[in-house]
Amino acid sequence: MTVVKTKINRRSFLKASALAGGGMILSFSWLAGCKPKNEDELLAMPKEWFELNSYVKIGENGAVTLFNSTPEFGQNVKTSLPMILAEELDVVWNMVMVEQGNFSPKRFERQSAGGSQSIRQGWTPLRTVGATARQMLVNAAAQTWQVSSEEITTENGVLLHKASGKKAGYGEMASLAAKLPVPEEIKLKEKKDFKIVGSSKRNVDLEKIITGKPLFGIDYKVEGIKYASIIHPPAFGMKLKSFDAAAALAMSGIQEVFAINIFNKSFVRSFFDTATYPELIAVVGNSTWEVLQAKKSVKVEWENAPESTFMKTGFGGGDPFQVTVPEGLESTAIHQTKMADFSKKPGKIRRRDGDPEAAFKTATKVLERTFTAPFLAHNTMEPANCFAHVTADQAVVYGATQWPEPISATLSDSLGLPKEKIQINLARMGGGFGRRAYSHQMVEAALISQKANAPVMLVYTRENDMTSGVYRPTYSATYRAALDENNNLTAFHVKAGGIPETPIAPNRFPAGAIDNYLAEGWDIPSNITVGAFRAPGSNFIAGAEQSFLDELAEEMGKDPIDFRLELLDRAMKNPVGERNDYDPERYAGVLKLVREKSHWDTSQSDIHRGVSAYFCHNSYVAEVLDIKMVNDKPVVENVYAAVDCGIVVNPDAAANMGEGAIVDGIGNAFYGELTFRDGVPQKNNFNTYRMIRMPEAPKKIEVHFVKNEHDPTGLGEPLFPPIFAALANALYKSTGKRQYNQPFITGFEGENIRLL
């Protein structure tokens, strides 16, 4: 049994108190039980990380309520996080109720959903608070029954003293427990004794979702609500010059048409503030339909925007830095030319092992390939929306955001209100994928409400959502491999960049497995806004790397799985370099598992297979994808995935998340693309931006988890990046053509791939 301290230091603590109507409330810090890598890292943590931020309620009836601080957008944390608590609390699952906590930095210090970190960062803190509450209940029972706490056991929310036969429900002891001191040390369960963690539990919001109960931001209504829509510049690199709203104001139901300035150069913008346009036009009226019709009648004149600069904080805070937004109307053709030029120039060296230049100079053979990928739109099924009601002394905002804290600062500066006067209430999100980390629609809705002096629901059209920015960057990567006279790999070089950032991850595989290794990065500035997109950076570089490794294995005459395992064996036994971000043994483990589960070594004449493996977000994934050619078109038959993400809290939900990532990745690989001409996005709705369709999903997806007792790691993103290369490698086997440029299928004319 593991013993943990409930207090890391004086700033990190749990606190119990009695509820007015009886029962116990236990507040805790999410980071109180996290394991810093070293003492220096602990001391460097901001003090606010150790402030009180969340709590558990135990009522007189024994019911347990967890206020979930993490935003929910389908990753199922609203179910899985309470499962962790319930496990250590030792209650029956149906005794646990979950409520979504609204943004409150005084109560919570981790209110973000991204980077596949929710379960990983909540694991130890939630176990600790559950076990602490259980021990306090045990201590209360011991005091009441005048016995030693060591003699009391718990089971399914009941306290038991076997010697006397006494028992009591948690609710009976909750009030007394709340008056007792919080124990400084508690014992966590042995992982082998878990009953709830590792079992499948259905989504706590399932009934509300399938019956259409209000959960999402777009569902919110209050008396006197007005509706708004925005008009933004038609192209990146343009700004508002003037507008004439006379015709729109004459239409039925239209209240006002005005411009709003969505950022002020005088304040430092947060990392998640990606707004490009200083001014937008808002149309406000009695219904969504009326404002959507009226905005078509607004006559607007736009002009080219000059270069601009502003100050911005880094990810997670830190010192502000200057950002320059270049002027000009950008086009995809120009982007491609610039990227091709940059790929030929020396980049910024991110890692160098050995003497790669000498190895390439003396190589018998050099394999070189360049891979590219376009901008991608997130295309969440629920377009951006937000409710706001701003008065002279306060603001209430209700909507979907993955990261409310940064937007709170922007709201404060934009509205001229102190942060403590701004309440952000968190709605369930109809998809996120990184897009809702950039919640500028909250600022827009608040400014519209402030100017209209009314509660307002801002609703984006799909065209607004797809053309107003925050895209996955466009990327390019060139790989080179040097082979000697015996066809042995002697050097490896990757140079990758993008607009406006590089996707390079210099310390990931195959770094550490090759004596002579060089990684370089470059980037090109742009006025097109980009942001996190499911598995940022990895969503491109994994596909490029694993496609290249597949071709390299073929050049060397090796099975693609065997080749990867050979490299990983080197990284295990004789690693190169001082830092490698991955565990080669766990990496090899998923390759071996997917080989077994996919029956890789059993060939079928009509099935063409591709394999890929990648490490990101602290997890390891290997995937095998099967293609069959039907009427000369590729049909994805099966996908087999092997995943090492440590302990799997909720297996069915985990498998579902993996399946969704696989389908999403296949669709983006086949079709995903957003191009620009003179700053104008060339696609604005699903009639032109092709998404995967239900008949095109794999016939079968199997997700297999490595069984171990490692603490859980990320899962929402790691299955997404490797599927690009698994598909590309299978397409090569089925068509004889390598895929170097995404999307793999271009010139969409309305037909499905799968024509069965």
Side-chain angles (χ1 to χ4, degrees), residues 1 35 94 213 222 227 232 371-372 445 471 485 526 559 570 592 601 647 665 708 733:
M1 184 171 287
K35 298 183 221 174
N94 61 17
K213 295 292 192 302
V222 297
Y227 293 86
H232 65 259
F371 301 83
T372 68
Y471 305 116
E485 65 275 9
S526 173
D559 174 88
R570 166 66 195 278
K592 293 174 182 177
D601 299 313
I647 293 170
N708 59 43
K733 296 292 180 62

Side-chain angles (χ1 to χ4, degrees), residues 171-463:
E172 297 175 60
M173 296 291 173
S175 291
L176 175 58
K179 300 172 185 176
L180 300 179
V182 176
E184 292 189 2
E185 290 185 347
I186 48 88
K187 295 178 181 179
L188 299 180
K189 278 188 177 182
E190 295 289 345
K191 294 172 181 176
K192 64 181 178 60
D193 296 328
F194 286 167
K195 298 176 183 177
I196 296 175
V197 168
S199 64
S200 294
K201 304 299 181 186
R202 74 177 191 177
N203 190 316
V204 295
D205 281 339
L206 181 62
E207 184 177 346
K208 293 179 180 178
I209 293 170
I210 63 178
T211 57
K213 295 292 192 302
L215 283 171
F216 302 94
I218 205 166
D219 296 325
Y220 197 74
K221 292 178 176 62
V222 297
E223 186 175 351
I225 192 171
K226 302 299 179 183
Y227 293 86
S229 185
I230 60 168
I231 305 172
H232 65 259
F236 290 90
M238 301 192 80
K239 67 183 184 72
L240 179 64
K241 183 177 181 181
S242 65
F243 68 96
D244 180 355
L249 289 167
M251 297 176 70
S252 174
I254 300 305
Q255 306 287 315
E256 296 182 75
V257 180
F258 49 77
I260 57 171
N261 191 321
I262 63 171
F263 70 85
N264 184 331
K265 286 186 179 181
S266 65
F267 66 81
V268 177
R269 296 165 66 181
S270 78
F271 178 83
F272 290 100
D273 184 352
T274 61
T276 296
Y277 313 116
E279 283 190 299
L280 303 173
I281 301 170
V283 181
V284 183
N286 293 331
S287 71
T288 302
W289 175 255
E290 288 171 321
V291 298
L292 291 181
Q293 298 310 303
K295 67 186 286 189
K296 300 174 185 177
S297 299
V298 180
K299 298 177 181 178
V300 188
E301 187 176 359
W302 309 97
E303 61 183 353
N304 289 348
E307 179 183 281
S308 63
T309 60
F310 55 87
M311 299 302 292
K312 194 171 188 177
T313 61
F315 183 79
D319 294 333
F321 59 94
Q322 182 171 292
V323 174
T324 299
V325 178
E327 64 179 335
L329 304 178
E330 301 180 16
S331 297
T332 296
I334 296 173
H335 289 162
Q336 292 172 343
T337 299
K338 286 184 177 181
M339 291 169 73
D341 290 343
F342 266 73
S343 67
K344 297 172 185 175
K345 301 175 183 178
K348 180 180 180 181
I349 294 176
R350 302 291 299 277
R351 174 168 174 155
R352 181 200 296 274
D353 295 327
D355 191 346
E357 291 84 358
F360 276 103
K361 188 175 181 179
T362 59
T364 302
K365 185 189 303 180
V366 174
L367 180 67
E368 179 174 334
R369 296 290 184 265
T370 296
F371 301 83
T372 68
F375 287 100
L376 294 177
H378 292 80
N379 293 332
T380 59
M381 287 298 98
E382 179 194 20
N385 62 83
C386 185
F387 168 83
H389 190 190
V390 180
T391 62
D393 57 359
Q394 68 172 356
V396 177
V397 177
Y398 181 79
T401 177
Q402 292 177 231
W403 209 304
E405 186 174 1
I407 211 69
S408 172
T410 304
L411 281 167
S412 176
D413 286 319
S414 298
L415 298 173
L417 291 172
K419 287 183 183 180
E420 57 270 22
K421 296 295 184 180
I422 298 172
Q423 177 60 52
I424 301 176
N425 297 330
L426 303 179
R428 186 183 181 94
M429 291 171 265
F433 315 114
R435 175 65 179 86
R436 287 192 162 98
Y438 311 90
S439 302
H440 46 78
Q441 74 275 5
M442 287 188 160
V443 181
E444 295 163 10
L447 287 170
I448 294 169
S449 172
Q450 187 179 54
K451 196 158 186 175
N453 195 28
V456 167
M457 171 62 75
L458 171 65
V459 180
Y460 274 36
T461 62
R462 177 61 61 187
E463 289 81 2

Side-chain angles (χ1 to χ4, degrees), residues 629-688:
M629 297 301 290
V630 179
N631 299 327
D632 295 324
K633 296 183 181 295
V635 174
V636 179
E637 290 284 302
N638 311 304
V639 176
Y640 304 88
V643 184
D644 184 349
C645 60
I647 293 170
V648 179
V649 175
N650 191 349
D652 279 356
N656 291 342
M657 192 157 21
E659 292 161 357
I662 287 167
V663 173
D664 190 18
I666 292 171
N668 277 288
F670 266 136
Y671 304 117
E673 180 184 40
L674 191 65
T675 58
F676 295 85
R677 184 180 299 147
D678 295 328
V680 180
Q682 295 301 288
K683 299 174 182 178
N684 63 16
N685 210 320
F686 293 136
N687 63 321
T688 52

Side-chain angles (χ1 to χ4, degrees), residues 61 84 112 137 260 267 318 453 518 602 621 648 691 743:
N61 62 353
I84 299 169
S112 61
L137 291 161
I260 57 171
F267 66 81
N453 195 28
L518 178 63
T602 303
V621 176
V648 179
M691 303 284 285

Side-chain angles (χ1 to χ4, degrees), residues 99-169:
E99 294 184 26
Q100 179 63 55
N102 291 318
F103 176 63
S104 177
K106 291 183 178 180
R107 283 178 45 201
F108 308 104
E109 105 289 297
R110 188 188 186 278
Q111 285 198 269
S112 61
S116 299
Q117 295 299 300
S118 297
I119 296 293
R120 178 174 177 259
Q121 293 190 8
W123 174 251
T124 299
L126 282 171
R127 291 187 68 194
T128 301
V129 77
T132 301
R134 172 169 44 86
Q135 186 61 47
M136 293 170 71
L137 291 161
V138 166
N139 292 346
Q143 180 175 311
T144 301
W145 297 333
Q146 296 297 296
V147 299
S148 168
S149 60
E150 297 295 326
E151 299 176 19
I152 296 175
T153 59
T154 62
E155 184 177 0
N156 297 332
V158 177
L159 297 146
L160 304 166
H161 185 245
K162 292 182 181 179
S164 65
K166 293 180 179 179
K167 63 180 181 179

